[in-house]
Amino acid sequence: MESDKLQVLFVCLGNICRSPLAEGVFRHLVRQDGLEGRFAIDSAGTSSYHEGDPPDSRASAVAQARGIQLSGQARQLTHSDLQRFDYVIVMDAENRQAVERLARQKAPRAEVHLLREFDSDAAGDLDVPDPYYGGPRGFENVHDIVERSCRGLLEQLRRSHSL
Ligand code: 4NP
C-alpha cells in the first residue's frame, strides 16, 4: 500500500455489517472532501465466520438509501494489518480485545481506537451495537452512529495530519 496515504482499517467481528458500513461511509465522506488520493481505506473482521462473503444485504440497503454503495468481501484481520495500517478503528470492546490478543506477538504500529471515541453524541457507551441478530431498525441505528463517528474521525485526522 502506498506509504504517502493515510491507511485506515475498520474492524468488527464478521466484516459483513458494521465495518463494511464504516468503510463505505468513511470513503464517501473522504470523497466529498476531495481527499480520496490521501487515504487508503479497508475493513476486516476478527473472525473468519464470513470469509469471502459480500456485505450483509441489510447493511447494503441502509447505505444504498443514502447513496452509498458497499463493496468488498469479508476477510479476517491478520497480524500484518496491525503493522501495515496507520489506524485500526474497532467497533466494540470485544473487537479491541481480539486486536490486543493478536498484538501480543509484536506491538502494533497502528494506533487502535474505538470508532465511537469520535462520536459527538456518545454518552458513556462506546460500543457500536452488533446489529446481526436484529431487524432493520438496528441497522438504521448503526448507520447513524457510524456516520456521526466517521465525520468525527475524518475531522480529527484532517486536524492531526493537516489535510
Ligand atoms: P459484524 O456483524 O461484526 O458487524 O459484521 C456480525 C456478523 C456476523 C456475526 C456476528 C456479527 N456472526 O456471528 O456470524
Side-chain angles (χ1 to χ4, degrees):
M1 222 175 267
E2 305 91 317
S3 57
D4 59 325
K5 294 186 178 186
L6 264 192
Q7 294 163 36
V8 181
L9 181 69
F10 294 96
V11 171
C12 64
L13 176 62
N15 192 208
I16 55 169
C17 300
R18 292 166 294 175
S19 61
L21 196 51
E23 177 188 349
V25 167
F26 190 71
R27 204 185 285 287
H28 181 77
L29 295 173
V30 161
R31 200 176 296 130
Q32 275 184 343
D33 281 4
L35 290 171
E36 58 269 51
R38 308 299 300 272
F39 284 90
I41 305 161
D42 194 9
S43 65
T46 60
S47 76
S48 61
Y49 302 158
H50 291 274
E51 195 93 60
D53 288 355
D56 186 286
S57 56
R58 297 164 296 176
S60 293
V62 292
Q64 188 71 61
R66 291 154 176 95
I68 298 171
Q69 188 85 39
L70 301 190
S71 60
Q73 292 187 314
R75 70 173 184 88
Q76 189 170 18
L77 179 73
T78 65
H79 186 267
S80 68
D81 287 322
L82 304 181
Q83 303 306 332
R84 201 154 58 94
F85 284 85
D86 300 305
Y87 294 92
V88 169
I89 308 295
V90 298
M91 299 299 130
D92 64 27
E94 197 182 299
N95 305 153
R96 181 149 72 179
Q97 281 170 6
V99 168
E100 282 166 3
R101 272 196 299 278
L102 203 55
R104 277 195 206 129
Q105 299 168 32
K106 189 179 176 202
R109 190 180 70 78
E111 266 188 40
V112 182
H113 292 279
L114 285 161
L115 180 63
R116 293 198 79 183
E117 288 174 35
F118 307 98
D119 181 356
S120 52
D121 262 23
D125 182 6
L126 292 186
D127 285 353
V128 179
D130 181 348
Y132 187 64
Y133 292 106
R137 288 284 300 282
F139 280 83
E140 295 279 342
N141 180 42
V142 163
H143 180 279
D144 292 347
I145 293 170
V146 162
E147 185 178 352
R148 272 199 316 270
S149 304
C150 281
R151 285 186 190 283
L153 171 64
L154 183 54
E155 264 175 40
Q156 176 64 45
L157 293 179
R158 290 194 66 160
R159 261 199 307 275
S160 50
H161 295 273
S162 306
L163 295 173

